Structure formats: C-alpha cells, structure tokens
C-alpha cells in the first residue's frame, strides 16, 4: 500500500531541518445525549437504533443545542487556559459525504467557543508550552462499513453500509498553535501532548477518551524548514492516527519523508495523508481536483451562544485537580525527583500508585511493587500495567502483609504471582499456597537443628565466635522452609543453640 | 459577464448536479443575468453594519441533557432506497473523508 | 356513496371556519358531514383546480368521526374542532406522503408529524389532504411543481400564485375553509392576493418550523390562509406558539389575533404608505385599488402619511442571495442515500455519481438555478460581496422598518404588482417571476408580521387585488385589526365577500350552487 517514499534517516534529517508540528484532536463528549437531539450516545448499540429525525437529518428536522455539551466544552477551554467567548455561533460546514445526514456539519468557524490557551507538556526533561489556538464544538458523523473489498477499507469496496448512531454525538475539536523548537524531540512532543490532553480530558470527566473506540482522534500536522530559515515549510496533515504510539511514529515518518523531498529540491505537497499502522508510514490521500471550499455560513437554525460570566466562573470553580497540578502535589508528597516522576508517568503507573496509596500502602512501597515486580510481569506479558489482573487494593494488601510480618518480600512476590494467575486475593493465595512466615518456635527449632546438623563446619565457626556465619545457616533454614521462616527468629534460635 | 459557463459547470459539480450540456448553456445565461441583478447589493454602503442574525434576537436556547424516545430502526430505514443488516446501503465511496 | 342532498352539502362548503366550528360544537351538523361535503367538493372541482396532491379520504373521515365522538361524550372541543383544512405539502405528515412538489420526494412518507401538523390534529382540525406547491417552495405560481401547476379558481388559465398556490386555490375554490401555507418571500400573501382571499405571514418564529421542510431557514414562516380575516386569526392561534423543538421559535405568548380580528377598528391608527412601493411599479388596476384602500382607511379614521424606506429597493436582490444560499445548503441532504429518489445506481457507479444523477433527475430547473446561485454566493472569495453583504442590507431593511414604526403603527402597500398572470407567461423568465415578490420580501427579511386582504378587482381584467398590511414583529394582532377593518368596510360596499364575484366553478353533477 505504501508508495515507497524516499526517506532520510531521522538524525540526518534533524541535522539539517527544523520541524514544526501541530495537532488537531477530536474528542467525543460523554454527555448522555447527542449534540442537537435527545438520542443516547451509548457506544455499541444496534445499528440505527439511536436515531431520530434530527440526527438523521430528515427533511423538516431542526437542531436544539445540548447545554451539557456547551458546559463540557467550556470546562475543557478553562482547563486549557483559554478565553471563553462572550458571544459565538455555530456555522455550517458544507460538503457531501454519505455518512453526513445533512451533507453539512454543524460546527463552528470564525467564532469558536474557546480561544488562545496553552498546555504545558514535559518532553525530554524540559517543559514545552503548547499553544492552543481554539477549542470548538461540532457534531460527529455516522459510521460506514466498507463492503466487498479485500481489506474492509474504502479502496476496492463495492458498496458501504452506514449506521447513523454516532451521527450527532457532540465532538470537541482542540487545535494547537504551531509548535516550533522541539527539534529532534518533535515526535515525542506530539505524543506527550496527546497523552497529556487525554489525561486532562479524563480528569475533567468530559469523555472516556478511548482512542481504540474512536472517542479521541488526532490528526498530526508536520512541516520542515531548513535550519535557520525565516519561514516555516509547507505542512501536511496526517489522519488515521489511532494510538499514542502512532502519533509519534507518524511525526517521525513525515519528518524523514519530507526531508527526502526537500533534499531532492522538490516542494512538499500540501495535502492530507493517511497513516498506516502496519508499516508506520503515511501515504497521500486520494488527490482531490480542487481544494475543499466548505462555504461556511452562520447556522440559521440555531441562535448564538453567549455564556454569561457567572456561569463560566461557576464552571471554573468546579474544575477538578488537573493532572499537572496533581503530579506536582504527588511528587512533593512522595518525595520524588522530576525524573522519577516522569518514569512513573511513562509507565502509566501514576494512577495505580495513587490508588494503592489510597488503599493504605506507603508511597515508597506502592512504587516499589508497581515499578518493580509488577512492571516485570507486565513486560513479560506484553501489556500495560493497568491491564494486569491485579488491583491497587490487592497490592496494598500485599504490602500490608509484609509490614505485618505475615510474609516477607520474597514470599510477597509469590503472592503477587498467585493473584496475577487468578488464584484469588492475596490472603487466599497466602493460605492456599501456605506462604505465611513460620515463626512458631517448635517448627523453626526443628529446621534449625536440621541445618546445624547438615552444616557442621559452619556450626563450628559460629561456636568459635564468628557470628557472621549465622547468615549461611539462616539461608539453609530458609531453603528448608521454602522461604517461609522468620529469618530474624531463626537467627536468634541458631545463636541460642550454638552460643 | 458576471459568470462563465465553466464557472457554472464548477458550481454544478460542487452541488452534485449532473447537468446536461444543454442545461449548462441554458443556466449559464440565466445565472449570468441573475447574478448581475443581485450584485446590486454591493451598491449599498454598509460600513460597520452588522449582518442580520434573527428577527427576534435571542441567545442561549439550550436543552437539558435528557434522553428522548428515538425512532425504531424500521422507521429510520423506512425511506431507504437500499438497506442491509439494518444499515443504509450506499454506492461505493471513493474518497476518504 | 349514498345519494346526498347536494344542496345541503354545498352550503356547508360555503360556510366560514368559524361558522362550521360553531355548528359542529352545537351539534347542528356533524364533523363527518362537513368533511364529506368538502371531500365531495374536491372530487367535483379538483380535476380543474388541481389544488391537491394527496386527498386523505378515509383518514380525514376518521379524524372527523373522532371529533363527533368527543362531542357526543361531552369532552371539550377546541375552537376549530371539526373544521377541514388543506395542508401545504411542505409540512411532514406521518400518515400521508410529503413531496414538497418535487420528484425527488415522490411518495416519501415521513416517520414523524410536523409540530404544526400535530397541533392541528390535537385541536380536532380535519386535514383533508396535502396541497400543491412550487417545488421546495421556490416560485410564485406553482408552475415549478413537478406535478403540474394549480389553477386559479377565478380563471383556470391563470396562476393561483405561489409557492402556496395549491393551498390558496383550495380555499378560493371552497375545497376547504382553511389552509396552511408557508411564506419565505411572499408565498402566502401573494397567492392569497391573486386568489382574492386572506393570507397572513406571522412574525418569524411565531409558528414552529419543526417538520417544515426547509427552503430558507431564516425566512420560512408557516401561516394561515382563509376566506375571512377572523378565520385566519382562529387558525393562527391554533397553529402558533413556542416549540422547544425549534430553536428559532418565539418564546412569548401568541399575540391576541382573534380579539384583534373582532375589534376591527382603525380610528386614530397611524398608517404609512411605503414611498418606494407606490411608484409606477404596479399594474394600473392594482395601483388604483390600492389607492382606494388607503383612502378607505382614512375614511375609517386612520391617519395616513407617506414613509420612505430607502433600503426596500434592495430587498429583492438581498433576498435572492440569502434564500438561495440557505437553500443550497438545506437541499444538500437530498443525496439519494437515506430517503427519496435514487437514480443511476447500476452497481458500478460511485456514491458521488449517484448523488449527482439523482439530483439532476429529481430537481426541477428553478431549484437547480437557486442551488447554484446559493453555492456561488457562499463560495470562498465571493462570500463577503454577496451573502455577507446581503445580510448587512437585511439589517438596514430591518432598521428602515424600525424607523418607520416609530412614525406609524402599520405600513401598507399592494401585496403584489400584478393580478394573476396567465399560466406559462413567466415560466421562461426567472427574473420576471421574481418580481412578483417585490412588495412582500421586506417583511420576510425583517421577520415582522404582514397580512394580505382582498381590496377589490382590477378593472382591466376583473381579477383580485390584495392590500398588504405590515406590522412590527410580535404585533401580529395589529395586522389583523387593520385587515379586519378593511374587510368589514369593503364587504359592506360589495354586499358580500369579494370571492362571491368569482364565476362558479363548473360542477359535473348537482347543477350550480
């Protein structure tokens, strides 16, 4: 499928060119009903069972704006440090497409609800302030299944089947200002921005932001200019970027591709490109004869939206703690360095550790287990930490069992293993596998005597006063008890016996 | 001349009208005349005059985020020229959106 | 059908809506009888008039039976219960086709009723059927209907006006005492004027547009047509009022139009004659009848002055930019994907091709012209000079009205420059056709209230002339008040309604009435 683009190796490209990136993100809002009608927004319903004359665009139907959608959009704008318009309108964006019930989309054009904000993103140890150009509100389209072709994609399809359940779901579009100066970190910066935005939206409770379900969709814009050039280059827009990893890969590929184009003395074509997951490449979209003229005009079926300042301040006051503030607070509470904090974030461990602390563990313990043993398990299984079949409460319980002396660290690892294997909660695993530390003197004495008898040389050393050798005998006791001996008690018993 | 035949052909394509050549000739002449006439609005001095929004100016007509009964899939598909698997069947789409 | 006394039935079709409502409420006559009489009348004359695209027949009788049942059970009836009505085929009806006069919606059955439709049904009004119209409300004669024109009952070789020509013809032909039309550039008032009946364009937003298939969203206004001002007022009250399904619907009580229609008094009222519309633009007989109507108002106690509304001369070009622009967008949805006509789908063509072939086959020439004109006016690079400018001119026109209404209480003009022209006369000359809207368009652009009432026959052709009375937005009652005063005085002068002067339509059986 790829057009075998020429590529310049990444580092080489960055040695001669400076990338500028921009990202447009569409967010499906988690309101109960659609943007302009009372149909439910639930995902996964039977096709065309959540539609009405309005979202089907039947002749005669009229839109009525959803107050909650506007509130959510203002919430997003405030969290992104935007100005909220005192007066704005919806506009029609006119184009023909079978998944568009009215063959125009109600959106916003030159009067968006929120403008001119920013979002700080940490990339490569430094903070990049990504400018936000605008946040506006529009409606989503229906969904098509492409039938008869080999791949299920549009190319080669014989016909399509359209479901309008998704049509009309409120969509917020967040558009960044161009981001310059990230240099070789451009791909990571793009990814970090989308990640941070996603986490922000989740914290605001305005969307379930599931990229795999399509409730968060990003297009990445990339342009290159020769080092020191006065103007920016021509940018391309890449769509179908369906995961965080794809965001990074798409930016990277475009940099390599555009560098090759420019090296060859050609111009980068301003176009929309399509990202291919399988190869990590982009290809040109089907060339259109003329650039789209959407013929925007103010939507006559809707009246202007003029959020009064009291309402805006009410919304501002109700904003939850945002991820950046939360991270700063946790970093201080947990006594971590910036780098350590970033590691936690990158591992996706922040929320898990927070919840584990919330369930009673210390921050240090929570961090140790999630970033150590559990991270290892996740790696082996090829999943994210969050996907492991163990809850923060269970991890907290394991930590508590260690604190109480019921088990030790080594045994704790076996307990975790058992929980992950589905054998039950930590206490059940301890009981079933018999992992409780043995501190009963009678049983220990037996093991101690056996160890002394099996290691007469070491016993002799201890009798001679080389108490350091106790460790070896304790080791033997541990081995004999399959790690369940209370080590310090065993040590005391040995010294007692031989002392 | 306010508008050329080629421009009219372009408008027809934009608005998805497969006009015949005869129609194109016919409409080009008529549209040229009409556009010439409506262009009179440009004679009006309108510096600083806001464009009209609505007759009775009103803002913030909003609805509560509460579910209302939908159509059944049968009702939704009742006018469909073609349907399959409870979806609207449409001819092959060439361009990615 | 059982043999009926043609005389009794025919008398019922001559009654006003108010009279029918009273007779049904008192039990003097049944709603079924009334409906049957009108259905019979339709059968008798509609092959000549062609007002109807669909006649409800049994559904109408069932609705009438329902009214009779309620009456017998002592349940309260609304002020128009049992009164038959003709509904313009631009309003959705779940139990009848809705074609908008277009091939592209031939046979389409909407899965929902328009709000206006529902309010009529809830009020016990009996919908006799759907009336003919210019395709998607674009036109002034019904000649743009894909199903053939309607014919003016005054002279069947002439147009009944448009786009609500079917509704207007139905009322003028006694096929229904009431009708619903929609007015975007004059499409209620102009047909009423050329058919010699009453037609009212309420304040924009006064009646719900939910279920009104959109032509120009910021202009479309549903309204009543009837043979008397009082009848129109009664229908106005039943059909109007705030609708939460329509964001542009006025959230205020319906103005007291029925009371105003009964008041019919203009003493002390200040009446303004629009200077720009009093020049030589009208047919001689139209100008003459208009002048007499103004003199009449003076004799009834009104104070008449001339008022200049300088931007009104730009109303026509502004309208023919704004309306096509909005319609080019509103009609995009007719793309063969979800409902309506699908043409050219041979299994190999693309969606775009099928859309284009369908719209080519399904839309008539006027619709195509306006779609292209609108697409042009909204195009990047042209927007500011055309659509943008037109919306500014619209503000200036609204300001002209506001200034005028500080000097006067109502403005008057002829409703339309000519009487009913012959079918075929303007069909090939769009610009000539557009001129029919010259006087009505300003009120559509500003959104204020305007009524047309008959004010006589033009001497040169014996055809009806309409007087247009314009009132400020939300002051619909004022228009009715003046209209009723004019109607009352003129009917005294004429010895009866103007419509009585029309030749009887030939009925195949039962002789003349």
């Amino acid at each position: 499928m790829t057009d075998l683009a020429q590529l310049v190796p990444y580092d080489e490209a960055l040695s001669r060119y400076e990338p500028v990136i921009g990202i447009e993100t569409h967010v499906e809002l988690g309101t109960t009903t659609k943007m302009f009608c009372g149909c439910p927004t639930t995902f996964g319903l039977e096709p065309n069972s959540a539609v009405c004359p309005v979202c089907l665009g039947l002749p005669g139907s009229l839109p009525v704006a959803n107050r909650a959608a506007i509130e959510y959009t203002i919430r997003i704008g405030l969290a992104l440090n935007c100005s909220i318009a005192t007066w704005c309108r919806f506009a029609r964006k006119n184009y023909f497409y079978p998944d568009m019930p009215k063959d125009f989309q109600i959106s916003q054009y030159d009067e968006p609800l929120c403008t001119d904000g920013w979002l700080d993103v940490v990339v490569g140890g430094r903070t990049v302030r990504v400018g936000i150009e605008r946040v506006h509100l529009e409606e989503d389209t229906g969904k098509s299944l492409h039938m008869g072709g080999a791949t299920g994609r549009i190319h080669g399809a014989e016909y399509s089947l359209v479901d309008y359940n998704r049509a009309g779901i409120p969509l917020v579009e967040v558009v960044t200002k161009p981001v310059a100066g990230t240099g070789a970190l451009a791909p990571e910066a793009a990814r970090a921005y989308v990640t941070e935005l996603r986490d922000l939206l989740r914290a605001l409770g305005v969307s379930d932001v599931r990229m795999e379900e399509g409730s968060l969709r990003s297009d990445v814009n990339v342009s290159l200019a020769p080092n020191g050039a006065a103007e920016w280059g021509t940018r391309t827009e890449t769509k179908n970027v369906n995961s965080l990893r794809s965001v990074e890969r798409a930016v990277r590929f475009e940099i390599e591709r555009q560098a090759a184009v420019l090296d060859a003395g050609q111009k980068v074509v301003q176009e929309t490109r399509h990202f291919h997951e399988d190869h990590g490449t982009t290809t040109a979209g089907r060339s259109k004869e003329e650039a789209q003229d959407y013929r925007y005009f103010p939507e006559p079926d809707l009246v202007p939206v003029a959020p009064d300042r009291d309402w805006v301040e009410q919304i501002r006051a109700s904003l939850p703690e945002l991820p950046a503030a939360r991270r700063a607070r946790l970093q201080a509470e947990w006594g971590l360095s910036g780098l350590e904090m970033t590691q936690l974030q990158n591992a996706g461990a922040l929320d898990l550790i927070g919840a584990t602390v919330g369930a009673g563990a210390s921050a240090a313990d929570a961090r140790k287990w999630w970033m150590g043993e559990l991270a290892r398990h996740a790696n082996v299984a090829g999943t994210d930490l969050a996907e492991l079949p163990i809850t923060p409460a269970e991890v907290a319980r394991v930590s508590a069992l260690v604190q109480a002396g019921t088990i030790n660290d080594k045994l704790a690892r076996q307990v975790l293993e058992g929980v992950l294997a589905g054998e039950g909660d930590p206490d059940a695993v301890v009981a079933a596998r018999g992992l409780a530390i043995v501190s009963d003197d009678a049983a220990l004495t037996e093991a101690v005597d056996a160890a002394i008898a099996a290691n007469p040389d070491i016993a002799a050393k201890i009798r001679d006063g080389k108490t350091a050798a106790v460790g070896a005998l304790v080791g033997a006791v541990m081995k004999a008890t399959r790690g369940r001996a209370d080590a310090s008690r065993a040590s005391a018993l040995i010294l007692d016996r031989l002392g | 001349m306010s508008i050329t035949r080629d421009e009219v052909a372009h408008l027809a394509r934009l608005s998805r009208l497969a006009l015949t050549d005869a129609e194109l000739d016919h409409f080009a002449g008529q549209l040229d005349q009409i556009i010439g006439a409506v262009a009179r609005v440009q004679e009006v001095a309108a510096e600083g005059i806001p464009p009209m929004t609505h007759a009775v100016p009103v803002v913030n007509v909003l609805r509560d985020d509460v579910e209302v009964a939908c159509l059944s899939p049968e009702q939704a598909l009742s006018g469909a020229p073609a349907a399959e698997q409870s979806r609207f069947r449409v001819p092959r789409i060439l361009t990615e959106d | 059908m059982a043999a009926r006394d043609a005389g009794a039935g025919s008398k019922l079709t001559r009654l006003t809506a108010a009279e029918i409502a009273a007779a049904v409420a008192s039990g003097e006559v049944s709603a079924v009888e009334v409906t049957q009489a009108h259905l019979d009348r339709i059968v008798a004359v509609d092959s000549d008039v062609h007002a109807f695209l669909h006649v409800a027949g049994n559904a109408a009788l069932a609705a009438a039976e329902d009214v009779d049942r309620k009456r017998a059970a002592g349940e309260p009836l609304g002020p128009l219960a049992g009164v038959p009505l003709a509904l313009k085929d631009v309003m959705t009806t779940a139990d009848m086709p809705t074609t908008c006069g277009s091939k592209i919606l031939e046979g389409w059955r909407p899965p929902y009723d328009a709000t206006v439709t529902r309010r009529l049904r809830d009020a016990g009004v009996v919908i006799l059927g759907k009336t003919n119209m210019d395709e998607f409300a674009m036109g002034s004669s019904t000649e743009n209907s894909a199903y053939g024109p309607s014919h003016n009952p005054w002279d069947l070789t002439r147009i009944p006006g448009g786009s609500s020509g079917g509704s207007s013809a139905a009322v003028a032909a006694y096929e229904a005492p009431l009708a619903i039309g929609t007015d975007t550039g004059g499409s209620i008032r102009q047909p009423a004027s050329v058919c010699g009946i009453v037609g009212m364009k309420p304040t924009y937003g006064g009646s719900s547009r939910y279920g009104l298939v959109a032509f120009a969203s910021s202009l479309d206004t549903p309204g009543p047509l009837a043979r008397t001002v009082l009848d129109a007022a009664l229908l106005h009250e039943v059909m109007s009022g705030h609708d939460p399904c329509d964001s542009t619907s006025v959230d205020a009580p319906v103005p007291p139009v029925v009371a105003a229609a009964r008041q019919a008094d203009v003493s002390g009222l200040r009446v303004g004659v629009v200077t720009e519309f009093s020049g030589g633009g009208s047919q001689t007989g139209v100008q003459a009848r208009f002048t007499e109507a103004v003199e009449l108002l003076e004799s009834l106690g009104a104070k008449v002055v001339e008022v200049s509304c300088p931007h009104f001369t730009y109303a026509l070009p502004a309208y023919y930019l704004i309306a096509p622009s909005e319609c080019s967008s509103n009609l995009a949805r007719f793309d063969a994907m979800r409902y309506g006509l699908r043409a050219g789908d041979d299994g190999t063509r693309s969606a775009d091709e099928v859309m284009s072939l369908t719209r080519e086959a399904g839309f008539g020439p006027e619709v195509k012209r306006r779609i292209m004109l609108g697409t042009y006016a909204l195009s990047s690079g042209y927007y500011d000079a055309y659509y943008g400018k037109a919306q500014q001119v619209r503000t200036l026109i609204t300001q002209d009205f506001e200034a005028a209404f500080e000097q006067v209480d109502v403005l008057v003009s002829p409703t339309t420059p000519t009487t009913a022209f012959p079918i075929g006369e303007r069909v090939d000359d769009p610009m000539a056709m557009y001129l029919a809207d010259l006087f009505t368009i300003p009120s559509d652009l500003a959104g204020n209230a305007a009524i047309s009432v008959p004010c006589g026959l033009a001497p040169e052709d014996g055809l009806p002339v309409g007087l247009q009375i314009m009132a400020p937005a939300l002051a619909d009652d004022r228009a009715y008040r003046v209209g009723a005063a004019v109607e009352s005085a003129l009917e005294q002068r004429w010895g009866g309604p103007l419509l009585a002067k029309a030749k009887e339509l030939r009925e195949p059986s039962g002789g003349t009435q």
Side-chain angles (χ1 to χ4, degrees), chain C residues 138-293:
Chain C
M138 300 183 212
S140 308
S141 68
T142 70
E143 291 169 292
N144 291 330
S145 169
Y147 302 100
S150 299
H151 300 256
N152 193 321
W154 286 79
D155 176 343
L156 295 171
T157 68
R158 293 180 183 258
I159 54 103
S163 60
S164 311
S167 285
S168 190
V171 169
Y174 301 98
E175 293 173 285
L178 297 174
I180 300 268
T182 60
D183 196 307
T184 304
S187 290
I188 288 177
R189 291 161 288 160
Q190 182 258 6
S193 173
V194 302
C195 285
I197 62 169
V198 176
M200 168 71 178
K201 183 198 86 67
T203 299
Y204 175 84
S207 286
S208 171
R209 288 187 301 117
Y210 186 75
L212 161 52
V213 179
F215 156 30
S217 313
S218 72
L219 300 163
D220 293 342
T221 312
L225 293 102
R227 293 190 290 269
T228 70
V229 172
L230 176 62
D231 277 0
L234 287 165
L235 180 51
H236 185 128
E237 274 189 5
V238 166
M239 67 187 282
S240 298
H242 180 242
D243 182 13
C245 291
D246 176 356
S247 302
T248 61
S249 109
V250 169
D251 194 358
V254 179
V257 296
V258 171
R262 294 192 206 275
Q263 189 194 4
D265 166 35
V266 299
S267 47
L269 206 72
R270 300 166 303 163
V271 174
V273 173
V274 179
T275 314
E276 286 75 14
F277 291 163
S278 314
S282 301
Q283 183 182 323
T284 312
V286 170
Q287 188 59 40
R289 293 280 99 96
F290 171 69
T291 306
E292 284 163 22

Side-chain angles (χ1 to χ4, degrees), chain A residues 100-378:
Chain A
M100 299 247 296
K102 301 184 289 291
D103 289 295
F104 63 83
Q105 180 195 35
I106 302 179
S107 177
Q108 293 191 295
Y109 177 50
D110 52 356
E111 298 162 339
L113 191 44
C114 320
T115 50
D116 217 25
W118 47 265
L119 181 64
D120 283 343
V121 161
V122 175
V123 194
R126 68 180 177 98
T127 302
V128 173
R129 177 155 288 191
V130 176
I132 303 294
E133 181 73 43
R134 53 188 280 152
V135 178
H136 77 248
L137 193 48
E138 58 188 31
E139 53 177 350
D140 209 345
T141 63
K143 256 186 111 129
S144 308
L145 283 180
H146 306 300
M147 312 291 286
T151 61
R153 280 197 54 224
I154 264 191
H155 299 292
E158 285 172 18
Y159 63 96
S160 298
L161 298 178
V162 191
D163 170 18
Y164 293 100
N165 282 350
R166 194 183 70 177
I169 288 187
L171 214 52
V172 163
E173 185 172 334
V174 181
V175 181
T176 70
K177 298 183 182 174
V179 184
T182 52
L185 289 176
E188 285 94 328
R191 177 184 182 147
Y193 165 76
V194 178
T195 308
E196 187 69 20
L197 181 64
R198 182 200 62 179
D199 292 347
L200 181 93
L201 295 166
R202 192 181 283 136
L204 289 174
V206 296
S207 171
D208 60 20
V209 285
R210 296 219 183 105
M211 287 180 87
E212 70 282 6
E213 274 178 16
S215 53
L216 183 74
R217 323 201 275 259
S218 286
D219 301 334
V220 295
N221 299 333
V222 180
S223 71
L224 286 188
N227 287 338
E231 285 172 9
W232 289 338
T234 303
R235 65 177 167 82
T236 61
E237 179 185 25
T238 300
K239 290 171 128 40
N240 194 47
V241 181
N242 293 331
S243 69
L244 293 173
R245 188 162 164 261
S246 296
V247 168
E248 194 176 333
R249 293 165 82 208
V251 172
R252 199 179 169 94
F253 182 84
E254 268 303 286
I255 288 172
E256 293 178 348
R257 186 190 71 82
Q258 290 186 21
V261 170
L262 294 173
D263 275 359
Q266 288 162 358
K267 287 197 194 307
V268 170
V269 176
Q270 178 173 13
E271 62 187 353
T272 300
R273 298 181 67 86
H274 184 95
F275 180 71
H276 299 273
E277 281 283 335
D278 42 5
H279 295 110
T281 60
T282 69
T283 52
R286 195 182 182 82
S287 72
K288 295 169 184 160
E289 290 156 31
E290 48 261 323
Q292 279 278 33
D293 176 6
Y294 293 115
R295 302 184 296 289
Y296 286 98
F297 68 101
E299 171 57 78
D301 287 331
L302 292 169
V303 302
V305 173
D308 71 58
R309 300 297 96 176
D310 282 346
W311 189 33
V312 173
E313 289 318 305
Q314 231 175 37
I315 296 171
R316 195 196 303 272
S318 74
L319 290 178
E321 183 184 43
L322 299 179
R326 178 167 170 262
R327 283 196 303 269
R329 178 176 60 81
L330 291 178
Q331 185 178 331
E333 274 177 20
W334 296 347
L336 301 177
S337 71
L339 183 60
E340 286 169 327
M341 205 57 196
T342 306
Q343 283 171 346
L344 290 190
Q345 221 191 322
N346 289 344
L350 215 53
D351 288 341
L352 296 166
I353 292 170
T356 307
V357 169
S362 73
D365 261 8
R367 195 165 135 243
K368 178 183 87 174
W369 289 119
W370 282 105
M371 295 298 282
E373 188 66 11
L374 291 171
R376 190 184 64 75
H377 276 285

